Amino acid sequence: MAISLAALRQMILAHPKALAQGLSLLVLAAAYSPVSVLNLSPVYGSAATKLFHRYGMAVTAILGWFLKERIHEMSRGRIARLLPVLAVSIAAIQFLLFKLSSWLGSPFGPVITESFTYYPLLALSIAASAKLIQYATEISRYGETIAEHGPLIASYVVFNLAERISEAFISKVIGSTFLLTRYGLQLVIAALYAITIPSKSLVLTIPLLLLSYTSNVHVPTKHTTAVLNERIQPYGFELIDRRDSLTGYISVLDNLNEGYRVMRADHSLLGGEWTKLPGQYNPKVKDPIYAVFTMLEAVRLVETEPPRPADQDSKALVIGLGIGTTPGSLISHGIDTTIVEIDPVVYYFANKYFHLPHNHTAVIQDAEKFVKKSLASPTSPRYDYIVHDVFTGGAEPINLFTIEFLQQLSDLLKDNGVIAINFAGDLSLYPAGLVVRTIKHVFPSCRIFREDAAMENHPAVDFTNMVVFCTKAAGTPIRFRNPVPADFLGSKARETYLMPKHEIDASAFETIEKGGQRLLKAASVDHIAAFQDRSAIGHWKIMRTVLPDAVWENW
């Protein structure tokens, strides 16, 4: 049965308040989807949190829609008035469930947590919205088919559009004010639920709000930060600073017992350096706590023909900053260094807390955009060294390892230049081999080293850092010159770890899994998502052995 424009107008205007409420509930439920992911990511990592998130949403939304009559009967028609109470309560429920994260594990911890928080809110919002829209439009008069499927299709469109807009908006403004932090967004959406459906039952949530402001350490206030430190100091840690940002929850932590400082991004560590040094020991650059960052500096030791210019006449491009260990070393050697980092908070913290030298060029931008812009400009420099070191969310941003992006890096590299590419992941999984084959396809001469020695009895998860050193000279094997004292910058860590030691035979990555691809192309990055998820879960388990559970759970 077709509906005329006049009839459609009559439907919309029949009960405008109820229609506005129904659509508002849909939009708010959709907006909470990225907020829920944001709040779980510091405890479980963004990759593990997203793994089943959309499946859970789909099942929950379907149940909410098709069980709306039953839910309406069980709540005696008060379903909508329960929503503001539940929205306010979610932060407190998450706070309690996070303490069980080591027991719940990954990836099921996020599913269980959302089953007690976001999914009930979604199901009840869908059910309440459906009843309000059906009542507001009086759609039943237009036939059973339209009454059953019309609101369902319209709700689906509105929900998906609202979720996409919310996710895009939040990614641009996250952390800019208190109300745009992870917890702040929960408060904002809860307040909008209360405005949409006023409920006297909100009085019951006052104790929860007071508890959050006094004890919930995830609320980014001065008082709760002090409470957080009281909880993690028995484990030997102290929070120095924290911010929400576009790549995750970024924080700086000091280990008070062993004497080191780290930067955290969600459930990952971007790097760290030793802060307690012997009295007479004063290196020109700080010693990192991870060997891989000094190994990346061996890019300077690769011999080429013709020889590269002296350090003071060289240019380096570093993609991915972390705490700034590798670029800081290159700058200290006198190399004109450009740093490309997507996250402004990471850059700010590296400068403020990790001694990043100031004499460099900083570009706070997505690496793909920077590289394309550089290649399009005739005045952009070509580089003697490129260091590619990107990692976030428990997995590599795989789009930065495609043949297209690597070819663009090759175009930015001088003919006698050297590139060092760090890949962090499970070397036993398909993506590692795919990445190595792609690198070797673009750069003819390469050698591969892992951060640590491989175990004789291979573990189920072989998660480590792998550095690939390459040049553009076909047929010329990679050779490292012997380092001299000046290469170490007075650092004992560099004396020990600068020269790569644990070489991997490239032929180990030549086997292509059944159904796999030889090279990674931009058009087909989605096909390795499952392997990336497995690697991220393995990384989560490793991180739980690096820092105590209490540090991860209290953010």
Side-chain angles (χ1 to χ4, degrees), residues 48-70:
T49 299
K50 293 176 181 177
L51 185 57
F52 295 116
H53 175 72
R54 301 203 69 81
Y55 296 110
M57 284 177 59
V59 171
T60 302
I62 290 171
L63 290 175
W65 182 272
F66 289 104
L67 296 179
K68 57 183 178 292
E69 299 296 343
R70 180 62 177 158

Side-chain angles (χ1 to χ4, degrees), residues 347-403:
Y347 179 72
Y348 174 75
F349 280 176
N351 277 281
K352 185 173 182 180
Y353 299 111
F354 293 94
H355 313 94
L356 180 67
H358 296 295
N359 51 329
H360 64 269
T361 301
V363 181
I364 309 303
Q365 190 178 32
D366 174 77
E368 289 182 292
K369 292 181 180 178
F370 168 81
V371 170
K372 287 179 181 178
K373 184 178 178 180
S374 297
L375 289 173
S377 172
T379 60
S380 293
R382 297 301 181 260
Y383 299 95
D384 301 280
Y385 306 103
I386 295 179
V387 176
H388 179 298
D389 183 22
V390 291
F391 183 81
T392 187
E396 298 282 10
I398 205 66
N399 58 301
L400 298 185
F401 292 88
T402 63
I403 190 170

Side-chain angles (χ1 to χ4, degrees), residues 39-45 98 101 264 267 540 544 552-553 555:
N39 278 276
L40 269 64
S41 294
V43 178
Y44 292 105
F98 286 159
S101 64
R264 169 184 174 175
H267 205 277
W540 182 87
R544 283 298 172 119
W552 297 116
E553 292 164 357
W555 299 9

